[in-house]
Amino acid sequence: MTLPDLLLQNAYGKLAWGIVLAALVAALIPASRQLSRRASALLLGCMVILTLLPGQLSPAYWIALALQWPSGLLAGLCLMRLAHPWWPAPAQGVLPPVLASVIALLGTILYLDALGLVSLGMYFWGFGPRAAPLCALAAMALCVAWIIQGRSRPQAFAALGALALFTLLRLPTGNLWDALLDPMLWIWAVLTLAMRAWRKRERNSASDKINEGVVQW
């Protein structure tokens, strides 16, 4: 088990939280008033400078007390969200249903395992000295193949970056699961699926009302 240097881990965490916070601010802006390229770059720069402040002056200090460091995948997806003016996301968004489903399922199993409700030892497997790096390399090869084929490129680039950070620098914690999952990303995935199910239900309800009206007419 190889852990990342504490200074490197701290620098990564602050930078990653700056990216995540910038993406959260961008998400609050109405779709009709999307940020320009200059505004997106300025927002990202301001948030990163803010989180790089020393000690308790940094928002990252307080966020990390509850959520630790964000996964590389979360930071990568947020960066893809901020890159929207340069590289528009596909119609399904930065977190499409398939990826959201995988994250929600794996996250649920992992957190149940960590709480002791199931006994699988999944989290400790992520520290494996051989299996974890080999799995990361295999996943990186799959991401490269998807990028070449033009399949889910934003998500593939985000995952490739997260896996590269883990393979080269063991960031963020030296555990493969922490490179691909974290509580905020899991919540994002669950909310994405819940909102998608709600919208589908609303569409079906509206369609049923229209059909009933046609039958009565």
Side-chain angles (χ1 to χ4, degrees), residues 119-196:
S119 182
L120 300 174
M122 287 180 62
Y123 184 76
F124 296 102
W125 174 85
F127 284 117
R130 294 184 179 86
L134 287 175
C135 287
L137 290 173
M140 289 173 67
L142 181 61
C143 290
V144 171
W146 281 354
I147 292 171
I148 294 174
Q149 296 172 9
R151 298 171 55 188
S152 303
R153 279 186 171 176
Q155 295 78 16
F157 271 113
L160 181 61
L163 292 165
L165 281 174
F166 169 77
T167 303
L168 299 176
L169 302 175
R170 306 295 290 182
L171 291 172
T173 65
N175 189 296
L176 178 58
W177 292 115
D178 289 335
L180 299 173
L181 278 169
D182 63 79
M184 183 171 285
L185 180 58
W186 181 78
I187 292 172
W188 183 7
V190 171
L191 289 177
T192 297
L193 295 175
M195 291 175 63
R196 181 177 176 83

Side-chain angles (χ1 to χ4, degrees), residues 18-168:
I19 295 172
V20 173
L21 290 177
L24 286 174
V25 172
L28 295 175
I29 298 175
S32 59
R33 300 183 60 184
Q34 286 299 309
L35 295 175
S36 64
R37 294 182 179 183
R38 183 177 180 181
S40 294
L42 184 61
L43 173 62
L44 177 59
C46 289
M47 286 299 175
V48 168
I49 291 174
L50 189 62
T51 54
L52 287 177
L53 291 174
Q56 298 181 11
L57 294 176
S58 170
Y61 172 85
W62 301 103
I63 300 173
L65 292 178
L67 300 174
Q68 298 299 317
W69 301 132
S71 64
L73 182 56
L74 175 61
L77 291 174
C78 288
L79 196 58
M80 292 297 104
R81 171 63 179 81
L82 292 169
H84 181 77
W86 293 272
W87 188 7
Q92 292 182 324
V94 176
L95 192 62
V98 173
L99 180 58
S101 299
V102 172
I103 292 172
L105 177 61
L106 289 178
T108 300
I109 296 173
L110 183 64
Y111 295 141
L112 289 176
D113 187 33
L115 292 172
L117 298 178
V118 295
S119 182
L120 300 174
M122 287 180 62
Y123 184 76
F124 296 102
W125 174 85
F127 284 117
R130 294 184 179 86
L134 287 175
C135 287
L137 290 173
M140 289 173 67
L142 181 61
C143 290
V144 171
W146 281 354
I147 292 171
I148 294 174
Q149 296 172 9
R151 298 171 55 188
S152 303
R153 279 186 171 176
Q155 295 78 16
F157 271 113
L160 181 61
L163 292 165
L165 281 174
F166 169 77
T167 303
L168 299 176

